[in-house]
């Protein structure tokens, strides 16, 4: 056990975390350079495309240290986006140390700090590594970045490692530091078993596969295991370590990282954060678990074709097997039929789920505009949570509406402070304080309604700071707001899927823009269509879409009927994909029109 | 009663908007003549091969020479083709035999010879009575030549004369188009076809519009011109019997084009020549759109078919709906017998709404479009199932 090191790599997005992981695998011969597709640990297509690690994975590395110790290093990968803070904390709990990667050309950024704090909270040894020092633009920055790191971690300057994950410079120093600076795991192989499930995936043939870190005791194949959370018992059938593939070893002891397969058919039994013990010799207590991932963003997901509801449910069920943070429940909409209201960690998470449903499960989806969850106190003092604007009680029955607020931390070069302040103010933010990490870098704290940052806040922030500002945020609490429900009506019929909840001060402008956008998106019909935005019974904006004037193919002779029929079939298919509101046909893209409303 | 279509794939010049298959012979004169001769023997061979392979025991009620520019052929060549058809099919005594004619390719004598050869209906591609329109469309004739052609045709013995006109040319005003219609009805043709200029992919016009050398007419203007056309022609003695087709009301004769009606009635038809389409019972097929490939196939006694499709009952029904609606309406009882579906009952809500809006009418068991309905014919077709 004294030669085992369990560690992870944490960084702000794009600072080179996955590249460093690749170098470690290559340098130690865990994987041959020629087999190394760029960023080995990201094996989901989507991850490679987006260059972010979404699902964490673990891999074992064999390394002989300079003093000839044969060490086993377990690298546990972490996701790098603000939506996935929760998953980062899962990985950290399985480690004793973390390499903190900082881009020499960018310096400390918002997630550098948030991830660092998570690691410090988890009691990990931190090894700072300044990456990309070979870039020409790094030269003038290195001393500043070093100072930022010293200030942030409180380490000595000589404890900071430097190198380039891309070229491999500094890889050897990183490996040595892992061995010499990160403590070996503690724990007693003979004690009652306590194994922390830090991830689980579902394998179609083998059932749930739990990724575990054994804290105390030993688990062997044929052992009867028990899950603390639900008391269910299974027989361990396949136990092993995680090299590039699973490698069966038959046993895992205190300090080890590996997998357990126990013929568990329902992945919900292998709950992430749960503790596995042995039925015959159980530990007295579980390990401290994580708090449940809390979905922050909600959206309706409907099949384009109403007949595919069952298929969508199956696809969501399967997806959930590998994504514990996804929640969903059936709902129905007058406009869209039967579908699901799903909760996500953030917008990126939502995008990823949608893309995976479309690519991996061949689903055609309509997504409604995402929203947050509101806390409503009714006039009879009942408190309800509303995650679908259409279900907001009538204004007359509401005593107050509260919305979730977040504490946002934005790190930016000082020249963009003005722009960022304005953006946050426009989004109803309350400035808390600004500190300076260096004369050129500010750390700005705002309290903002979550609803104001879920659409395009991040993109706006990036564009007005030329990509330099970074963001991290954390839920604080629900606070009272002057919110109204804005409905959209087509020829007098409300379109439930287009209802939004919005601050009163912004509702008029919003209503106008939305009506205008819908007028562009809804094709002309055989009759005139009135598009209205209303708060309660009060119409606050109106556009009118005039009736279609002409739609007929002039030429249909020469006997080529096939071409005409195919054209018509195509048009009919397009119509079939539209949703009917009263007698108005609404194309699917109208249901997320709000996302493309320009400022 | 079945129909026969003969495609003549030659033009003196390709007009910018046309996407029908044709080639411009390398040279006119002897070389053009030999190319035509080669084509006509292939065409005759195709008729023979098909007749040998397919038993078509239906009599032929209409023959249509389309193109391309069929009037480029010599009347004797038309006669040869008609003789070949007569040798293999039973042509009805009163068959309607149409030839499409470009005013720039015929004179009175030639027209008289066509008449003698057996052509009894002539469809003249006038397109516009304004020379600048004709120039824009790159037609080879002038307005005065067109008028002369009409006169010649009449003097050559044609009673059943049809005009093709095009509206919604870039920049066309209502008064310009109105003057076209006025000049047309003044000549009292038996039949007028008015097509809205459609921009077909890969035509020179398409690229002109893409590169903004020409502006496509907006839907509003196009609709205005079309609605005006319908009003104007019906108040000048013409009956609309299809989206783009109008026949002169005449107590003695019916001037609707029987050939085109057959396409829209689901009657059987055979097409010969490159790119020609055929329909027989429940099968559609069409020839390759390439003259030399076509000739090669014929030389090895093979039918030059590009593709075939067998229509399902659902596809036939779909066709019956849109073909019926765009022409003389759907015979609801006939529809029920043929497809075991009650179209009016199954679409009751949509239909009663359309009747209320004066877009559909029910007369003598037929459901047909009104003038207001024709304007949005395709929209209505998409609503019926």
């Amino acid at each position: 056990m004294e030669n085992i090191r369990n560690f992870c790599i944490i960084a702000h997005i794009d600072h080179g975390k996955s590249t460093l992981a690749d170098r470690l695998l290559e340098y130690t011969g865990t994987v041959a350079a020629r087999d190394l597709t760029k960023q080995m640990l990201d094996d989901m297509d989507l991850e490679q495309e987006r260059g972010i690690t979404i699902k964490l994975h673990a891999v074992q590395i064999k390394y002989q240290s300079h003093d000839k110790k044969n060490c086993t290093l377990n690298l546990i990968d972490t996701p790098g986006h603000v939506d996935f803070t929760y998953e980062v904390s899962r990985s950290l709990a399985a480690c004793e140390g973390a390499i903190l990667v900082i881009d020499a050309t960018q310096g400390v950024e918002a997630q550098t700090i948030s991830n660092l704090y998570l690691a410090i909270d988890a009691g990990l040894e931190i090894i700072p590594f300044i990456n990309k020092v070979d870039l020409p633009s790094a030269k003038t920055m290195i001393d500043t970045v070093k100072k930022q790191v010293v200030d942030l971690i409180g380490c000595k300057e000589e404890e900071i490692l430097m190198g380039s994950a891309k070229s491999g410079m500094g890889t050897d120093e990183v490996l040595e530091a892992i061995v010499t600076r990160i403590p070996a795991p503690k724990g007693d192989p003979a004690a009652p078993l306590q194994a922390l499930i830090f991830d689980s995936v579902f394998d179609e043939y083998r059932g749930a596969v739990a990724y575990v870190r054994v804290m105390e005791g030993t688990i062997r194949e044929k052992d009867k295991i028990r899950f603390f959370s639900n008391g269910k018992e299974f027989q361990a059938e396949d136990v092993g370590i995680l090299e590039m593939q699973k490698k069966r070893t038959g046993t895992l002891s205190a300090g080890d990282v590996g997998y357990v397969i126990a013929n568990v058919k329902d992945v919900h039994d292998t709950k992430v954060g749960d503790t596995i013990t042995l039925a015959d010799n159980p530990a007295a207590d579980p390990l401290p678990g994580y708090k449940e991932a809390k979905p922050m963003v909600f959206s309706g997901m409907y099949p384009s074709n109403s007949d595919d509801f069952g298929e969508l449910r199956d696809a969501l069920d399967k997806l959930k097997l590998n994504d514990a943070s996804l929640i969903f429940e059936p709902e129905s909409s007058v406009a869209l039929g039967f579908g699901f209201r799903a909760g996500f960690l953030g917008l990126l998470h939502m995008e990823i789920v949608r893309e995976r449903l479309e690519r991996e499960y061949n689903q055609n989806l309509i997504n409604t505009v995402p929203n947050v969850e509101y806390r409503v106190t009714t006039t009879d003092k009942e408190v309800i949570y509303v995650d679908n604007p259409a279900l907001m009680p009538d204004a007359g029955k509401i005593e107050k509406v509260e919305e979730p607020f977040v504490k946002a931390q934005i790190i930016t070069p000082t020249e963009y402070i003005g722009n960022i302040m304005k953006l946050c103010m426009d989004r109803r933010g309350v400035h808390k304080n600004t500190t300076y990490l260096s004369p050129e870098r500010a750390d700005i704290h705002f309290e903002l309604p979550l609803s104001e940052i879920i659409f395009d806040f991040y993109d706006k922030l990036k564009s007005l700071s030329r990509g330099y500002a970074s963001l991290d945020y954390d839920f604080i609490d629900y606070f009272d707001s002057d919110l109204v429900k804005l409905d959209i009506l087509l020829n007098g019929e409300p379109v439930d899927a287009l209802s939004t909840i919005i601050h009163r001060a912004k509702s008029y402008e919003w209503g106008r823009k939305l009506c205008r956008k819908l007028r562009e998106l809804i094709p002309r019909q055989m009759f005139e269509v009135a598009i209205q935005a209303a708060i309660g019974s009060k119409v606050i904006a109106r556009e009118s879409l005039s009736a279609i004037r002409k739609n007929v193919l002039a030429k249909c002779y020469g006997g080529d009927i096939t071409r005409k029929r195919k054209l018509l079939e195509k048009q009919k298919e397009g119509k079939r994909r539209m949703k009917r509101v009263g007698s108005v046909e609404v194309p699917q893209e109208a249901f997320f029109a709000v996302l493309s409303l320009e400022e | 009663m079945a129909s026969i279509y003969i495609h003549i794939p030659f033009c003196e010049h390709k007009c910018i908007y046309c996407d029908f298959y044709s080639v411009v012979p390398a040279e006119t004169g002897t070389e053009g003549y030999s190319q035509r001769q080669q084509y006509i023997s292939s065409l005759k061979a195709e008729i023979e091969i098909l007749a040998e392979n397919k038993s078509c025991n239906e009599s032929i009620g209409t023959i249509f020479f389309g193109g391309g520019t069929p009037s480029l052929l010599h009347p004797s060549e038309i006669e040869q083709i008609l003789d070949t058809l007569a040798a293999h099919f039973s042509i009805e005594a009163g068959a309607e035999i149409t030839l499409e004619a470009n005013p720039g390719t015929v004179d009175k004598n030639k027209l008289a010879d066509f008449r003698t050869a057996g052509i009894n209906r002539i469809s003249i591609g006038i397109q516009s009575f304004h020379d600048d329109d004709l120039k824009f469309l790159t037609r080879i004739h002038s307005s005065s030549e067109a008028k002369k052609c009409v006169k010649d045709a009449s003097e050559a013995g044609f009673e059943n004369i049809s005009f093709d006109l095009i509206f919604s040319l870039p920049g066309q005003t209502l008064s310009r188009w109105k003057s076209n219609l006025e000049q047309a009805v003044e000549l009292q043709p038996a039949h007028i076809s008015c097509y809205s200029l459609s921009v077909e992919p890969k035509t020179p016009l398409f690229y002109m519009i893409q590169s903004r050398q020409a502006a496509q007419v907006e839907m509003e203007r196009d609709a205005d011109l079309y609605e005006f056309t319908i009003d104007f022609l019906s108040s000048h003695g013409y009956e609309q019997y299809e989206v783009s087709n109008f026949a002169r009301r005449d107590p003695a004769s019916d001037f609707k084009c029987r050939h085109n009606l057959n396409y829209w009635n689901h009657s059987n038809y055979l097409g010969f020549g490159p790119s020609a389409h055929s329909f027989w019972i429940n099968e559609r097929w069409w020839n390759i759109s390439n003259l030399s490939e076509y000739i090669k196939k014929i030389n090895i006694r093979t039918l030059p078919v590009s593709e075939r499709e067998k229509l399902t009952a659902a596809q036939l029904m779909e066709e019956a709906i849109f073909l019926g609606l765009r022409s003389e309406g759907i015979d609801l009882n006939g529809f029920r017998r043929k497809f075991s579906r009650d179209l009016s009952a199954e679409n009751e809500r949509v239909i009663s709404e359309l009747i209320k809006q004066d877009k559909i009418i029910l007369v003598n068991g037929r459901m047909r479009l009104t003038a207001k309905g024709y304007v949005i014919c395709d929209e209505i077709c998409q609503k019926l199932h």
Side-chain angles (χ1 to χ4, degrees):
Chain A
M1 201 192 325
E2 73 194 43
N3 289 344
I4 297 177
R5 299 291 181 273
N6 296 318
F7 73 104
C8 58
I9 308 175
I10 53 179
H12 189 76
I13 190 163
D14 283 342
H15 278 202
K17 181 181 63 127
S18 298
T19 314
L20 177 62
D22 287 351
R23 276 307 82 64
L24 297 179
L25 298 184
E26 191 187 282
Y27 189 85
T28 54
T30 311
V31 58
R34 63 173 183 281
D35 295 335
L36 191 78
T37 59
K38 213 170 137 272
Q39 301 183 3
M40 204 71 208
L41 288 180
D42 300 347
D43 66 5
M44 259 196 290
D45 274 0
L46 214 57
E47 292 182 28
Q48 296 223 351
E49 267 170 42
R50 287 174 180 258
I52 43 170
T53 312
I54 301 158
K55 289 295 295 177
L56 67 173
H57 306 260
V59 62
Q60 188 175 95
I61 299 169
K62 295 285 184 204
Y63 172 68
Q64 191 182 54
S65 66
H66 292 178
D67 57 359
K68 304 288 176 219
K69 270 198 289 195
N70 288 317
C71 299
T72 297
L73 314 181
N74 290 306
L75 164 59
I76 296 169
D77 201 18
T78 59
H81 188 274
V82 55
D83 276 2
F84 299 100
T85 307
Y86 162 78
E87 297 205 352
V88 174
S89 69
R90 283 162 39 175
S91 317
L92 299 182
C95 304
E96 278 79 33
I99 301 167
L100 177 68
V101 179
I102 304 118
D103 185 329
T105 66
Q106 308 286 325
V108 168
E109 304 222 45
Q111 281 137 47
T112 315
I113 299 179
S114 61
N115 285 332
L116 173 69
Y117 288 166
L118 289 171
I120 291 171
D121 282 351
L124 304 195
E125 176 66 32
I126 311 292
I127 302 170
F129 174 73
I130 298 182
N131 190 20
K132 310 190 193 179
V133 295
D134 53 346
L135 289 183
S137 54
K139 277 207 183 86
T140 54
M141 284 285 291
I142 288 178
D143 286 338
T144 318
V145 175
K146 268 191 190 165
K147 187 168 178 317
Q148 287 172 2
V149 171
V150 168
D151 289 349
L152 189 66
I153 307 179
C155 62
K156 296 193 190 85
E157 197 176 309
E158 53 271 26
E159 287 171 355
I160 301 172
L161 303 181
M162 311 244 278
S164 160
K166 200 163 180 201
S167 72
M169 166 189 173
T171 309
D172 186 59
E173 287 82 350
V174 171
L175 286 162
E176 271 309 296
I178 292 169
V179 174
T180 55
R181 283 154 66 173
I182 296 176
K186 296 191 186 74
D188 176 4
L193 178 69
Q194 281 181 314
L196 175 71
I197 304 176
F198 64 86
D199 200 7
S200 76
V201 297
F202 193 77
D203 181 302
E204 220 177 308
Y205 303 104
R206 315 211 52 195
V209 180
Y211 290 162
V212 298
R213 158 70 199 274
V214 181
M215 296 300 192
E216 296 286 347
T218 300
I219 180 170
R220 295 178 186 82
E221 287 177 6
K222 305 270 189 264
D223 279 349
K224 195 184 236 182
I225 60 168
R226 178 189 294 163
F227 294 108
F228 252 100
S229 64
N230 57 17
K232 287 195 187 170
E233 294 177 1
F234 296 89
Q235 179 167 301
E237 290 181 340
D238 182 351
V239 171
I241 57 169
L242 297 156
E243 290 184 340
M244 288 314 291
Q245 307 289 332
K246 289 189 205 72
K247 185 178 173 193
R248 192 168 183 170
T249 54
T251 168
L252 289 172
S253 300
D256 285 340
V257 170
Y259 69 89
V260 176
I261 297 171
N263 199 22
V264 180
K265 291 296 174 217
D266 184 351
V267 82
H268 300 105
D269 288 335
T270 55
K271 218 170 119 199
V272 171
D274 196 6
T275 303
I276 300 177
T277 190
L278 294 182
D280 299 335
N281 180 21
D285 297 302
L287 297 159
Y290 326 103
K291 49 178 195 224
E292 289 270 334
K294 199 174 147 38
M296 302 294 266
V297 175
F298 297 81
S299 162
M301 292 191 139
Y302 289 84
S304 299
N305 180 349
S306 319
D307 300 341
D308 297 340
F309 173 77
E311 270 180 47
L312 176 57
R313 186 183 43 220
D314 293 348
L316 278 166
D317 277 335
K318 277 189 196 144
L319 195 60
K320 182 161 172 62
L321 296 180
N322 285 323
D323 187 349
S325 40
L326 170 69
I327 62 158
F328 57 92
E329 56 184 36
E331 71 169 9
S332 70
S333 145
V334 180
L336 302 176
F338 291 101
F340 296 91
R341 172 101 342 207
F344 309 94
L345 300 173
L347 266 203
L348 179 75
H349 185 211
M350 180 180 92
E351 287 258 304
I352 287 163
V353 168
R354 193 174 57 79
E355 281 195 40
R356 289 191 64 193
L357 285 169
E358 290 188 339
R359 287 196 205 182
E360 294 168 34
Y361 297 94
N362 276 323
Q363 298 294 302
N364 270 316
L365 292 178
I366 306 179
N367 258 54
T368 63
V369 173
N371 56 268
V372 301
E373 190 170 47
Y374 297 92
R375 186 160 75 187
V376 179
T377 309
T378 62
T379 43
D380 25 332
K381 308 293 174 210
E382 196 191 344
V383 175
I384 52 171
Y385 286 85
V386 176
D387 63 13
N388 177 354
L391 301 178
M392 188 60 109
D394 287 342
K397 290 191 178 142
I398 295 176
E399 189 173 286
K400 66 169 177 177
V401 184
E402 295 165 296
E403 63 177 328
F405 273 69
V406 296
K407 174 176 73 191
Q409 175 184 32
I410 298 165
I411 292 181
T412 177
T414 46
E415 57 193 294
Y416 305 114
I417 290 179
N419 290 344
I420 291 169
M421 288 286 186
K422 183 173 181 315
L423 174 69
C424 291
M425 299 296 200
D426 286 348
R427 301 300 178 98
R428 298 192 280 135
V430 176
H431 181 230
K432 295 318 254 186
N433 68 308
T434 298
T435 55
Y436 289 84
L437 301 173
S438 68
E440 301 82 29
R441 278 172 88 74
D443 179 358
I444 311 173
H445 289 247
F446 259 90
E447 284 181 11
L448 284 151
L450 177 62
S451 65
E452 294 282 349
I453 63 171
I454 59 174
F455 292 145
D456 55 353
F457 183 82
Y458 190 67
D459 293 341
K460 283 262 151 42
L461 181 70
K462 283 284 171 195
S463 77
L464 58 77
S465 67
R466 297 171 182 241
Y468 284 115
S470 60
L471 167 74
D472 197 71
Y473 64 83
D474 239 334
F475 172 71
I476 329 172
D477 205 348
Y478 280 88
F479 294 112
D480 222 342
S481 280
D482 186 9
L483 298 169
V484 292
K485 180 183 169 205
L486 182 80
D487 293 316
I488 293 293
L489 299 97
L490 296 178
N491 278 354
E493 297 258 0
V495 189
D496 56 359
L498 282 174
S499 291
T500 44
I501 292 178
I502 186 163
H503 195 263
R504 189 181 302 275
K506 294 188 164 189
S507 59
Y508 278 71
E509 201 195 341
W510 188 261
R512 263 198 309 279
K513 279 184 184 163
L514 187 50
C515 286
R516 216 176 299 144
K517 187 80 193 177
L518 289 171
R519 186 170 169 268
E520 279 168 34
L521 290 174
I522 299 174
R524 294 162 73 174
Q525 322 262 317
M526 290 206 287
F527 40 84
E528 187 178 316
V529 177
I531 304 166
Q532 295 170 307
I535 298 171
S537 57
K538 189 180 171 206
V539 172
I540 59 162
R542 184 196 154 104
E543 290 280 336
S544 108
L545 177 69
S546 51
I548 191 162
R549 285 292 308 280
K550 184 169 184 264
N551 179 13
V552 58
L553 198 68
K555 263 189 317 190
C556 185
Y557 76 149
D560 185 359
I561 307 299
T562 305
R563 179 174 161 204
K564 170 78 183 155
R565 192 189 66 243
K566 285 186 174 159
L567 202 69
L568 209 67
E569 277 166 2
K570 215 169 121 192
Q571 290 175 332
K572 250 186 162 165
E573 180 55 35
K575 276 246 153 72
R576 240 197 303 278
R577 296 195 46 193
M578 291 199 199
K579 298 291 169 182
R580 294 178 68 89
V581 176
S583 49
V584 183
E585 281 160 339
V586 183
Q588 312 199 340
E589 59 270 26
F591 292 98
F592 39 95
V594 177
L595 290 179
S596 51
L597 286 185
E598 79 295 352
E599 286 289 308
Chain B
M1 180 195 73
S3 295
I4 284 175
Y5 174 80
I6 306 285
H7 192 72
I8 306 300
F10 302 116
C11 282
E12 218 167 84
H13 159 80
K14 292 236 29 152
C15 299
I16 55 164
Y17 56 92
C18 178
D19 75 333
F20 290 110
Y21 176 68
S22 70
V23 295
V24 176
E27 271 174 61
T28 43
T30 49
E31 200 176 318
Y33 175 77
S34 70
Q35 189 175 15
R36 257 165 36 212
Q37 275 307 307
Q38 192 184 15
Y39 176 61
I40 283 160
S41 28
S42 298
L43 192 60
K44 290 195 286 193
E46 189 194 358
I47 295 167
E48 285 165 18
I49 302 167
L50 187 101
E52 280 164 20
N53 287 288
K54 194 169 178 77
S55 64
C56 304
N57 40 19
E58 250 181 275
S59 65
I60 302 301
T62 76
I63 298 169
F64 196 105
F65 289 89
T69 311
S71 56
L72 274 180
L73 292 197
H74 192 273
S76 65
E77 292 165 333
I78 293 288
E79 200 170 353
Q80 288 175 49
I81 298 167
L82 286 173
D83 287 346
T84 310
L85 288 174
H88 294 90
F89 298 97
S90 128
I91 316 278
E92 290 174 16
E96 173 196 278
I97 303 176
T98 306
L99 178 91
E100 286 183 332
N102 184 318
T105 60
V106 287
D107 57 21
K108 192 159 141 190
N109 288 336
K110 194 172 181 185
L111 286 163
D113 291 344
F114 280 133
R115 184 74 189 87
T116 313
I119 303 293
N120 54 26
R121 183 175 184 273
I122 194 142
S123 168
I124 305 176
I126 292 174
Q127 318 312 356
S128 173
F129 289 105
H130 297 290
D131 282 338
D132 47 353
D133 287 348
L134 295 172
K135 207 170 155 200
F136 171 78
L137 294 171
T138 66
R139 299 292 296 179
I140 57 169
H141 66 271
S142 66
S143 162
S144 55
E145 280 171 322
K147 286 189 172 171
K148 170 92 175 17
C149 176
V150 176
K151 187 163 168 276
D152 289 345
S154 174
E155 287 172 11
F158 284 101
E159 285 169 7
N160 198 345
I161 299 175
S162 176
F163 292 178
D164 275 1
L165 297 173
I166 299 180
F167 64 93
S168 284
L169 269 52
Q172 191 173 45
T173 58
L174 183 62
S175 63
R176 293 263 298 196
W177 172 237
K178 187 179 168 203
S179 114
N180 269 336
L181 289 173
E182 282 166 350
Q183 295 181 64
V185 297
E186 206 176 294
L187 295 166
Q188 281 293 298
H191 185 275
I192 301 177
S193 300
C194 295
Y195 298 107
S196 167
L197 178 65
S198 59
V199 181
E200 302 295 340
K202 294 183 185 166
T203 57
L205 177 63
F206 176 81
Y207 296 113
M208 285 164 73
I209 289 191
Q210 271 201 328
S211 62
R212 295 170 192 235
Q213 286 171 265
Q216 194 160 14
V217 168
E218 284 169 12
M219 189 216 278
E220 296 294 327
R221 162 101 51 94
D222 184 34
D224 287 343
L225 294 174
Y226 182 50
E227 284 174 1
F228 178 80
T229 306
I230 297 175
D231 283 352
F232 184 92
L233 290 178
S234 37
S235 63
H236 284 79
Y238 288 83
E239 179 194 346
Q240 183 176 23
Y241 69 100
E242 198 258 359
V243 168
S244 304
N245 287 284
F246 302 82
R248 196 174 75 214
R249 291 193 196 93
D250 188 320
S253 323
D254 183 357
F255 287 124
K256 290 169 191 163
C257 176
R258 275 150 53 199
H259 184 82
N260 280 341
L261 279 175
N262 272 359
Y263 289 157
W264 304 323
N265 287 341
H266 256 166
S267 300
N268 294 328
Y269 54 88
L270 298 171
F272 298 100
S275 82
H277 285 251
S278 303
F279 171 72
W280 204 268
I281 302 171
N282 63 352
E283 191 179 10
R284 294 194 181 279
W285 67 94
W286 50 95
N287 285 348
I288 42 187
S289 295
N290 181 313
L291 183 58
S292 50
E293 290 296 315
Y294 169 85
I295 292 172
K296 268 190 219 158
K297 288 274 183 194
I298 298 295
N299 286 345
I300 54 166
R301 302 290 290 177
T302 308
L303 284 173
V305 174
S306 162
E307 266 181 81
R308 291 176 184 275
E309 60 169 2
K310 270 245 166 40
L311 301 181
T312 62
Q315 286 172 318
L316 279 169
M317 191 175 75
E318 188 87 354
E319 289 191 353
I321 295 174
F322 79 74
L323 291 172
L325 282 181
R326 69 178 289 122
S327 56
E328 294 192 294
I330 301 165
D331 169 13
L332 293 171
N333 277 326
F335 190 92
R336 192 180 303 121
R337 273 196 304 278
K338 200 163 172 186
F339 301 110
S340 310
R341 292 275 302 272
D342 190 332
L343 192 64
S344 53
E346 287 173 39
N347 291 280
E348 200 191 339
R349 205 180 54 80
V350 177
I351 290 171
S352 64
E353 180 61 33
L354 288 165
I355 290 174
K356 213 160 55 187
Q357 296 176 18
D358 189 27
K359 290 181 173 124
I360 275 186
I361 43 167
L362 297 173
V363 270
N364 303 329
R366 290 184 90 82
M367 178 170 81
R368 61 174 300 174
L369 298 183
T370 62
K372 278 168 95 174
Y374 277 128
V375 186
I376 53 162
C377 175
D378 291 4
E379 199 73 22
I380 293 174
C381 291
Q382 291 167 40
K383 301 245 177 211
L384 298 180
H385 307 282

